Amino acid sequence: LRKHGCAIVVMAFDEEGQAATASEKVRICKRSYDILVDEVKFPPEDIIFDPNVLTIGTGMEEHANYGIDFINATKTIKEQCPYVKISGGISNLSFGFRGVMKIRESIHSVFLQHCILESGMDVGIVNPHEMIAYDDLEDDMRLLCDNLVFNKNEDATDDMLERTTYERACVDARKKKIPLPRKPRGKLPNLPRLQFDYDKIAPKPAVEPPLPIFDAAQNHVPSCYLNSKSTHEKILAVRAKATNLTKPNLDYAQESSMYPESFPHFVRGRDSLREHITSLFTSRIALYDGAMGTMIQNYAKRNRLEEEEYRGDKFKDWTCATKGNNDQLSISQPQIIQGIYREYLEVGGSDMIGTNTFSSTTIAMADYEMEDYVYELNYEGARLAREVCDEVTAKDPTKPRFVVGAIGPTNRTMSISPSVEDPAIRNVTFDELVDAYFEQIVGLMDGGSDILMVETIFDTLNAKAALYAVGEYLEFTGLDIPVFVSGTLVDQSGRTLSGQTGEAFYASIRHAKPMCVGLNCALGAVHMTPFVERLTKVVECFLHVYSNAGLPNAMGGYDETPDDMAKQMEVFFKNGWLNMVGGCCGSTPQHIKAIRDMSENFVPRKLPDVGRPKMWLSGLEDLVVDDVHNHLGMPFLNVGERCNISGSIRFKKLMMAGDYGTAMDIAKKQVVDGAHVIDINVDDGMLDGLAAMQKFVKIAITEPEVSKVPFMLDASKFSIVLAGLKWCQGKCIVNSISLKVGVELFKEQATLLRKHGCAVVVMAFDEEGQA
């Protein structure tokens, strides 16, 4: 070709194939240039490089940057290869939108505008007749093309496909001489939010997790560990039902001079556990224990553990089968449970062990007719752990061990109907769960627990009931008890069984100010990794993981060895994501030891900086109100009004007729049309508002297309919004309260709403009327 004196196009291919990324395009072109100019003596001014214009807008993530890769490569090639020209087959870029020329040429126009004027592209294979000048593009079309070519947001392809459908419909309408269809609204550029002085305060380094509102927590008051002084009537009522054969010991304070005063030593009654945990979790990755059920199964493989052993002396004449009730073994076979605790502490090196009380609520124990024994089950489960922790701590006071009172999810769910025929049916209420959890908490604390852990959360509403009960206990006792919360994402969707994302789960429970939040169960470490990464970006407190030893095999067992499990968790440690780590199903003390050995080489997660507070709502997905822009680009939260009897005649008729199914369609359409929050109001003199609000919310939370967004519960009667609030697993808004009821009732209502963790609309009314 040089001998014939022609110019040439050189494609960006080499022996390994076609160049797709910017770096590959540059590498191959520079290599070709050096060979042509230095060895072949080809005139550089006669070389035209084609770095491969590839198709964008295919829906495949790896294709999304092909446009910007070409643009970036063009400029670099021109810089590194003097005098060359750059060409490309422009129609390749928009091949995914073939059949609608206006769309294709609009994409080409934006691409060429930037590639020619900003990167120096010289040549292209085009259809000159169809080309559109950049300045002639409609504003919204230019924005859509810009987003697509430069991959500016994850919806760019979907937005362009929507516009393509419209443009194709317009072509058809013109042919048929019928009115043009309605143009898609599209997305407009986000306008800036007005900034106030408090928006401009720079974030500050966090020194500890967010503190609960109680004075003891705010002031780091050491817990006295004298539970006999906790004499609130509700606590005494729980103790009055105790089935313990002897009067239980309630006090666990230690002599203040028992161990040295500096960290890492700890003395109960002298030192603040909150301060100790903060020091521990910021100095190294702390160790939790592993599976209790796995260890009981392993014991049963080596020893007899049948119905007779489960019953022991106390339950020898029990009227139903009890084998499988592992919590019962704290009473009937305490030596087994204490032996497991000891193994986790001595072999595994755990800093903290969870009590054998996962199912010790009246609700879960109903399966074994042992509701009356709940206090004793929790007390004994905690007492046995307390004894072993103290025994092991005494051997090495520089590594104090702590008892974590384990609060499981129960075997009922508030957010899921047990009936496929009726989505409004439930087999437990919020208040029933609160009562059950409160009784468990009293037993756990009386047994000597240091920490409370609400764990294996597959329904966040159950967890909210547990945290409400914890809050009541802390209020009644005036103590500062650190609270940990652990959610369970059931599969690779990254959602709980009740449908929430990890971020929405955290947003729903953060009002309780847990000291540590994380994930456990259902998945192995490998499968948890993307969801742990997402959580570490949003969680304001300490973060933990105790995963399963992989996924269960065909026999329901777990195959990951201790070394396997530790290696799978290494990614958590390398990235600095965790403050505490342990194991769940399938893990043993040997697994915990291997994890401990692995974790010792890494530093714990740093608490995120503390910035200005923001309203953070949730449905199945989370929503930070202060960061919201609506479909018009305004920094504005759209609250859909059509599920309000006062705002929609159609909705009112449906509610009066009891047609909740069609009413849900109205809610779904509002979400599709751009509502960030759904307002729910069933106020009408001819309707039972209390029943209607509860039924609507219970059905709505089972409809993913509705409950993905937060709710605004709207009623003139406080009792109605409170009833609806108890069926919302996410963080919602209550509309409304005001001072017109007087200061005392206003404070009482606000306090209740704060305990439930909702946001609130406050109307400008007071005792004298409307402002």
Side-chain angles (χ1 to χ4, degrees), residues 413-429 461 655 658-661 664 690-703 726-727:
T413 63
M414 285 195 67
S415 299
I416 303 172
S417 172
S419 168
V420 294
E421 290 83 17
D422 189 348
I425 292 293
R426 298 293 188 275
N427 55 15
V428 70
T429 68
L461 190 50
M655 294 304 294
D659 189 352
Y660 286 82
M664 289 302 138
L690 196 67
M693 175 65 84
Q694 293 184 83
K695 185 171 183 177
F696 187 94
V697 173
K698 284 192 283 186
I699 295 174
I701 63 175
T702 67
E703 294 279 354
K726 292 179 179 181
W727 293 108

Side-chain angles (χ1 to χ4, degrees), residues 282-343:
T282 53
S283 60
R284 64 177 173 85
I285 300 171
L287 269 293
Y288 195 43
D289 63 6
M292 175 62 72
T294 297
M295 292 298 288
I296 291 173
Q297 290 171 5
N298 290 346
Y299 177 91
K301 293 174 183 176
R302 304 186 304 268
N303 305 274
R304 177 180 165 84
L305 191 57
E306 301 297 335
E307 181 69 25
E308 181 181 353
E309 285 72 32
Y310 267 88
R311 293 186 177 212
D313 292 334
K314 185 157 190 169
F315 303 107
K316 63 181 180 179
D317 297 323
W318 206 246
T319 57
C320 68
T322 65
K323 184 181 177 182
N325 184 7
N326 290 342
D327 295 14
Q328 175 187 343
L329 296 174
S330 296
I331 297 174
S332 61
Q333 301 292 336
Q335 76 285 353
I336 296 176
I337 302 305
Q338 230 171 18
I340 294 171
Y341 288 155
R342 187 173 287 106
E343 275 197 74

Side-chain angles (χ1 to χ4, degrees), residues 99 185 189 200 212 268 311:
R185 188 160 45 194
K200 303 168 186 174
R268 294 194 295 273
R311 293 186 177 212

Side-chain angles (χ1 to χ4, degrees), residues 26 28 99 103 137-138 142 194 221 262 364 420 427 434 457 488-489 565 684:
V26 172
I28 292 175
I103 294 291
L137 292 174
E138 300 157 287
R142 186 185 299 116
L194 179 64
V221 177
S262 60
V420 294
N427 55 15
V434 170
I457 297 162
T488 296
L489 307 180
M565 190 174 183
D684 190 274

Side-chain angles (χ1 to χ4, degrees), residues 22-141:
S23 60
E24 281 297 289
K25 294 176 193 293
V26 172
R27 181 186 66 80
I28 292 175
C29 290
K30 181 64 167 69
R31 180 187 171 203
S32 301
Y33 180 86
D34 290 342
I35 293 171
L36 288 168
V37 173
D38 296 339
E39 298 179 29
V40 181
K41 306 303 180 181
F42 206 99
E45 67 272 19
D46 289 340
I47 298 172
I48 304 170
F49 279 119
D50 185 337
N52 310 318
V53 176
L54 301 175
T55 304
I56 60 175
T58 65
M60 299 178 68
E61 186 176 349
E62 59 267 33
H63 297 175
N65 282 320
Y66 280 169
I68 187 64
D69 277 340
F70 187 97
I71 293 171
N72 290 339
T74 294
K75 186 173 185 180
T76 305
I77 293 167
K78 297 272 289 192
E79 291 170 343
Q80 295 185 10
C81 305
Y83 312 118
V84 302
K85 305 291 184 283
I86 302 293
S87 178
I90 306 304
S91 63
N92 293 338
L93 186 74
S94 63
F95 190 73
F97 301 92
R98 58 193 180 279
V100 185
M101 192 57 69
K102 180 179 177 180
I103 294 291
R104 298 192 68 180
E105 291 302 331
S106 296
I107 295 171
H108 301 166
S109 177
V110 169
F111 175 80
L112 290 171
Q113 176 78 10
H114 292 281
C115 203
I116 294 169
L117 299 184
E118 297 171 13
S119 292
M121 186 180 185
D122 311 89
V123 184
I125 301 173
V126 298
N127 182 346
H129 176 71
E130 298 289 348
M131 291 177 74
I132 302 174
Y134 182 79
D135 291 339
D136 291 342
L137 292 174
E138 300 157 287
D139 289 345
D140 55 343
M141 179 67 86

Side-chain angles (χ1 to χ4, degrees), residues 718-737:
F718 186 75
S719 59
I720 294 177
V721 293
L722 187 61
L725 186 57
K726 292 179 179 181
W727 293 108
C728 287
Q729 73 165 331
K731 175 165 182 170
C732 63
I733 305 172
V734 163
N735 185 8
S736 60
I737 61 174

